[in-house]
Amino acid sequence: MSDFDFSVIAANWAFLAEGLRYTLQVTVTAMLGGILIGTLLALMRLSSIVPLQWFAAGYVNVFRSVPLVQVILAFYLIIPLVLQMITGKSTPIGAANSAYFTFTIFEAAYYSEIMRSGIQSIPKGQIAAGYALGFTYGQTMRFVVLPQAFRNMLPVLLTQTIILFQDISLVYAIGATDFFGAADKITQRDLRPVEMYTTVAVVYFVICFTLSRLVKLLQSRIAIIR
Amino acid sequence: MNYHWDWMFFFQETDDGLKYYDWILSGLGWTTFVSLASLAVALILGSALGVMRTTPGRWLVGLGDAYVDLFRNIPLIVQLFMWFFVVPELVPENIGIWMKQDLPYFVTAIVGLGLYTAARIAEQVKAGINSLSRGQRNAGLALGFTEWQTYRYVRLPMAYRIVLPALTSEAMNIFKNSAVTYAVGILELYFQYKQIIEKTSQVLEITIVVTLAYFILAFVMNRILAFVEARTRVPGLIVGQKGGKGS
Amino acid sequence: MIEIKNVSKWYGSFQVLTDCTTQVSKSEVVVVCGPSGSGKSTLIKCVNALEPFQQGSIVVNGIAVEDPKTDLPKLRAKVGMVFQNFELFPHMTITDNLAIAQIKVLGRGREEAVDKGLKLLDRVGLKSQAAKFPGQLSGGQQQRVAIARALAMDPICMLFDEPTSALDPEMINEVLDVMVQLAHEGMTMMCVTHEMGFARKVANRVIFMDRGAIVEDAAKEDFFGQPRSERAQTFLAKILNH
């Protein structure tokens, strides 16, 4: 406690900011991609076509029972293998790039469960009303069910995104330089763990705490409109 | 496809004279131990915090809320690094040295994972207690129970039954989250997974085996708690809220 | 216009409709009544194929609804339906509720669709509510919007599935007034309702259902004068004594 030296933060601020930018980029990519794929999975799970139901259920259950760090490492190693199989030549894609893919695929399983319960919460009468107006299945989903499901589930989707934002720190497993990875690399070099890790914890806390308060606010407003 | 499948490598000898499957079994043992111990810490602390947050005492509520906010808004790996590399520097010097030299790694890891999970358990317990009608507490008080006795005999027994499904999913999550403790030197299943990949490059086989192992751990935990749920079910009462997410 | 022939329907082994046969001619108003669980809502939902049925046939405007080759969205676009719980789309304004199906199903331009929707909204007396969301309207107002939404599709006939049973008593009349007006304009209507005052005023025929079967299918005068079946008599006695 005696010599808390924050000059090490100031000196490395740019590197840390670069890491934070990467964290945010992966978060946003995985959120958008994950919600898109997750919604498709939810529709498959709720469809009347049995093989699609099985596929979606299998996808969700596999990814929800495996530790994220394991998926991060496995995808990092397996993607190049698969690419090599397809293209025939070795194509290393790097840790930083593989994370975009991994998180999108992984988070889709979680978003899909959220969208599924959102879709199921829409009263059957709404679907009947859509059909009665002459909408096809696709139109009923697009214009009637999904907008409502999405709106009702928005707070839950955002809460999941805050968890996702924190989980990006696990790219530590493959050595990518996210916010935490950047701090860790500086620590290895400058040996100032107290300042570095404390700063990381505080920044994470401030961002996540603020976002979760905003989600709470949003939740109460949605509750009023409904 | 030029990947060379080799399922027999699990029976090959490693540098330390053991076989690769021994590494997996030992990892499985550590994962189970760290997870269950952390779960115990999390259940005790999380219940206490959850109860605190439903009491009439304003500062008790504030303290419970602050704990949950703090521990839910910092990534698990950062929390573990704080316990290992920052806290020993901030406490009085002799305690710090003891933490670094004599305290076994796994104890620190269990405390770290337990405190992290306690915040999630606290949320569930609080939700369970709040879902009971106010009349239950009043009925207890009217019978002459103290505030504490209404928790002990009336509210907690019902609250736990209500949140059991959510607790089940937290209990399943803790196996997955325990994988993060590899980063602070616990030789659990993921650590062994990583190590075996480095030694053998048989990525696909080991991924399949370890994935199945985590699957089985989660499944066994699920069955045990389903059994508890069936045994504690109150006739004539339908509780079945699905809940609990996280990774 | 609507021909229902020997329709039977089962949920698993439980029979919900038994050999139902009736028809609704052009400009005719037919009221379907009966105790709850008698299958009347199920029957009316079979007409636009919201509910499938296993036996018999229903022909609407020359098109067989049970035929797998039938383009159901196209058929349903021509058959207006009003639901017990209104089923306005809560995430859209009243204007959008009125316009969306015209645009997406009939392919009308947005301007034309909104124009038409607002005209109908005016007709049900709610022009000033166009910019609001369904949640901001009373139940009676929502149901009037739902009727306008169905009318905006230029339907050849209208199906009403207990349109007033989810409403507070003081709101029932504002909805019934709109329905009476529609009947006077010559709209073909099939209405599941317990509102016997409405039936007396505008119905041509009354169908009484019980336990999934059509027990009585008679001209209004005959039905209210002297129902033939005992069950219909009991039902009428109960419902009219209140």
Side-chain angles (χ1 to χ4, degrees):
Chain A
M1 196 75 220
S2 49
D3 46 357
F4 219 73
D5 177 13
F6 276 105
S7 64
V8 66
I9 308 298
N12 295 292
W13 179 244
F15 191 61
L16 283 174
E18 191 62 20
L20 187 56
R21 193 175 64 105
Y22 173 77
T23 295
L24 288 170
Q25 278 172 350
V26 179
T27 305
V28 171
T29 310
M31 173 182 73
L32 298 177
I35 290 178
L36 186 73
I37 298 173
T39 304
L40 292 176
L41 286 168
L43 289 173
M44 286 185 197
R45 187 96 185 247
L46 297 171
S47 80
S48 48
I49 303 162
V50 176
L52 288 184
Q53 287 173 21
W54 285 356
F55 171 78
Y59 183 108
V60 170
N61 287 333
V62 166
F63 281 108
R64 293 202 347 147
S65 47
V66 185
L68 176 54
V69 262
Q70 193 208 334
V71 181
I72 291 172
L73 179 58
F75 273 35
Y76 171 56
L77 298 170
I78 292 171
I79 294 168
L81 282 180
V82 173
L83 284 179
Q84 188 169 20
M85 207 174 81
I86 298 168
T87 61
K89 51 182 188 258
S90 126
T91 33
I93 59 163
N97 288 329
S98 90
Y100 284 99
F101 183 78
T102 308
F103 276 95
T104 304
I105 295 295
F106 184 85
E107 287 299 320
Y110 286 85
Y111 285 124
S112 130
E113 285 295 271
I114 299 170
M115 285 310 290
R116 180 163 73 115
S117 64
I119 293 169
Q120 283 175 321
S121 73
I122 305 301
K124 289 241 176 345
Q126 285 283 306
I127 298 168
Y131 284 144
L133 285 171
F135 286 152
T136 59
Y137 170 81
Q139 286 176 317
T140 307
M141 283 297 152
R142 220 174 101 205
F143 301 128
V144 180
V145 177
L146 289 180
Q148 292 185 61
F150 189 78
R151 204 194 64 178
N152 294 351
M153 287 294 127
L154 194 58
V156 190
L157 290 169
L158 291 175
T159 301
Q160 181 62 34
T161 304
I162 297 174
I163 296 172
L164 161 65
F165 173 71
Q166 295 184 29
D167 280 349
I168 308 289
S169 58
L170 296 176
V171 296
Y172 175 82
I174 51 174
T177 311
D178 72 317
F179 183 49
F180 173 66
D184 188 63
K185 280 170 190 169
I186 298 166
T187 309
Q188 302 302 326
R189 194 192 62 199
D190 295 353
L191 303 176
R192 308 289 321 182
V194 176
E195 291 85 349
M196 265 305 155
Y197 295 138
T198 307
T199 306
V200 169
V202 168
V203 171
Y204 266 116
F205 176 78
V206 169
I207 295 176
C208 297
F209 180 74
T210 312
L211 288 177
S212 61
R213 280 300 133 105
L214 288 176
V215 171
K216 233 177 221 171
L217 211 70
L218 180 75
Q219 197 162 24
S220 57
R221 288 190 51 179
I222 288 181
I224 291 168
I225 296 167
R226 200 186 304 157
Chain B
M1 172 111 197
N2 40 21
Y3 184 80
H4 175 66
W5 288 90
D6 176 15
W7 286 96
M8 296 316 288
F9 89 89
F10 288 110
F11 303 99
Q12 280 169 20
E13 217 163 90
T14 63
D15 310 341
D16 57 6
L18 292 168
K19 304 228 161 60
Y20 282 112
Y21 74 79
D22 289 321
W23 285 13
I24 295 175
L25 289 178
S26 129
L28 201 57
W30 275 105
T31 290
T32 311
F33 170 64
V34 169
S35 301
L36 293 182
S38 306
L39 186 60
V41 172
L43 276 176
I44 295 166
L45 182 62
S47 299
L49 286 163
V51 169
M52 269 165 66
R53 298 173 74 202
T54 62
T55 56
R58 192 134 44 98
W59 68 268
L60 280 178
V61 175
L63 196 65
D65 287 353
Y67 181 94
V68 171
D69 278 333
L70 185 64
F71 282 82
R72 285 196 68 148
N73 287 311
I74 297 173
L76 175 57
I77 193 168
V78 178
Q79 291 189 27
L80 290 174
F81 273 55
M82 293 292 284
W83 291 116
F84 272 84
F85 305 117
V86 178
V87 172
E89 310 295 332
L90 300 182
V91 294
E93 207 175 329
N94 50 348
I95 301 180
I97 290 171
W98 172 77
M99 282 182 80
K100 281 190 277 192
Q101 292 179 349
D102 297 332
L103 190 66
Y105 277 17
F106 69 82
V107 175
T108 316
I110 287 167
V111 170
L113 182 55
L115 295 187
Y116 170 82
T117 309
R120 293 148 166 270
I121 305 257
E123 286 280 79
Q124 311 291 2
V125 171
K126 176 191 160 187
I129 295 172
N130 282 343
S131 73
L132 302 174
S133 82
R134 203 90 195 119
Q136 291 282 305
R137 170 177 172 264
N138 291 341
L141 293 176
L143 286 171
F145 285 155
T146 62
E147 190 77 51
W148 160 243
Q149 284 176 317
T150 68
Y151 280 109
R152 169 69 186 80
Y153 298 112
V154 182
R155 299 158 80 187
L156 281 177
M158 263 329 290
Y160 275 117
R161 286 179 171 86
I162 291 169
V163 298
L164 205 54
L167 289 182
T168 302
S169 81
E170 279 311 324
M172 289 163 72
N173 280 338
I174 209 164
F175 288 113
K176 293 185 283 167
N177 287 333
S178 74
V180 180
T181 62
Y182 95 93
V184 288
I186 306 300
L187 308 183
E188 47 68 66
L189 189 53
Y190 174 77
F191 177 91
Q192 300 294 1
Y193 170 74
K194 200 170 162 109
Q195 181 169 252
I196 293 173
I197 288 177
E198 278 158 17
K199 298 263 191 239
T200 69
S201 304
Q202 300 302 128
V203 187
L204 297 181
E205 296 90 334
I206 185 68
T207 300
I208 291 168
V209 167
V210 170
T211 301
L212 279 176
Y214 276 114
F215 220 97
I216 291 165
L217 282 177
F219 182 76
V220 170
M221 181 56 95
N222 179 292
R223 287 300 88 198
I224 291 173
L225 287 172
F227 176 74
V228 173
E229 204 178 328
R231 283 298 296 271
T232 57
R233 182 166 294 146
V234 179
L237 202 90
I238 302 154
V239 291
Q241 53 164 51
K242 267 266 186 157
K245 273 184 311 298
S247 48
Chain C
M1 176 77 57
I2 302 171
E3 281 171 72
I4 300 172
K5 266 194 207 140
N6 308 107
V7 169
S8 294
K9 175 179 170 67
W10 289 264
Y11 286 126
S13 62
F14 179 72
Q15 187 160 14
V16 277
L17 292 177
T18 309
D19 205 22
C20 296
T21 301
T22 188
Q23 71 291 314
V24 182
S25 327
K26 191 162 177 2
S27 293
E28 197 178 22
V29 176
V30 173
V31 164
V32 184
C33 62
S36 62
S38 60
K40 50 197 193 306
S41 280
T42 310
L43 181 66
I44 202 169
K45 283 185 183 135
C46 287
V47 173
N48 63 351
L50 287 180
E51 293 275 0
F53 49 92
Q54 286 84 18
Q55 270 179 26
S57 78
I58 297 181
V59 177
V60 177
N61 202 28
I63 300 161
V65 302
E66 75 279 6
D67 186 343
K69 288 192 288 277
T70 299
D71 182 351
L72 285 178
K74 203 170 154 195
L75 174 79
R76 287 170 180 150
K78 284 192 222 153
V79 179
M81 185 161 203
V82 175
F83 296 84
Q84 182 175 357
N85 294 313
F86 334 133
E87 305 300 353
L88 294 179
F89 304 135
H91 58 301
M92 295 177 194
T93 62
I94 300 304
T95 306
D96 286 340
N97 262 285
L98 293 162
I100 178 119
Q102 295 183 63
I103 297 169
K104 302 294 178 185
V105 177
L106 301 181
R108 288 178 184 156
R110 181 165 177 89
E111 203 174 322
E112 184 194 354
V114 169
D115 212 45
K116 170 130 195 155
L118 291 180
K119 243 179 228 150
L120 286 159
L121 194 61
D122 193 21
R123 224 181 94 180
V124 298
L126 293 170
K127 193 168 192 179
S128 57
Q129 316 288 333
K132 290 192 177 162
F133 283 88
Q136 297 170 295
L137 303 190
S138 73
Q141 290 173 323
Q142 289 193 52
Q143 194 61 299
R144 280 144 71 196
V145 174
I147 295 172
R149 179 174 73 176
L151 292 175
M153 304 293 285
D154 294 319
I156 54 172
C157 61
M158 290 280 286
L159 307 173
F160 291 85
D161 182 12
E162 307 207 28
T164 56
S165 59
L167 294 175
D168 292 335
E170 73 270 20
M171 293 175 183
I172 290 176
N173 279 332
E174 59 185 85
V175 172
L176 289 180
D177 287 346
V178 173
M179 291 168 64
V180 168
Q181 197 194 345
L182 261 183
H184 287 323
E185 285 164 16
M187 176 59 80
T188 308
M189 294 162 67
M190 186 168 174
C191 312
V192 173
T193 181
H194 288 156
E195 296 297 332
M196 289 301 124
F198 170 78
R200 274 181 204 276
K201 206 184 282 177
V202 295
N204 300 101
R205 279 182 19 251
V206 179
I207 292 171
F208 174 75
M209 291 183 72
D210 193 20
R211 289 174 228 163
I214 294 180
V215 179
E216 192 125 356
D217 183 348
K220 170 179 61 178
E221 295 76 16
D222 297 341
F223 183 80
F224 287 112
Q226 184 55 52
R228 279 172 300 148
S229 70
E230 205 176 305
R231 276 184 276 173
Q233 285 172 19
T234 326
F235 176 77
L236 267 183
K238 269 187 201 160
I239 209 163
L240 293 178
N241 280 343
H242 286 290

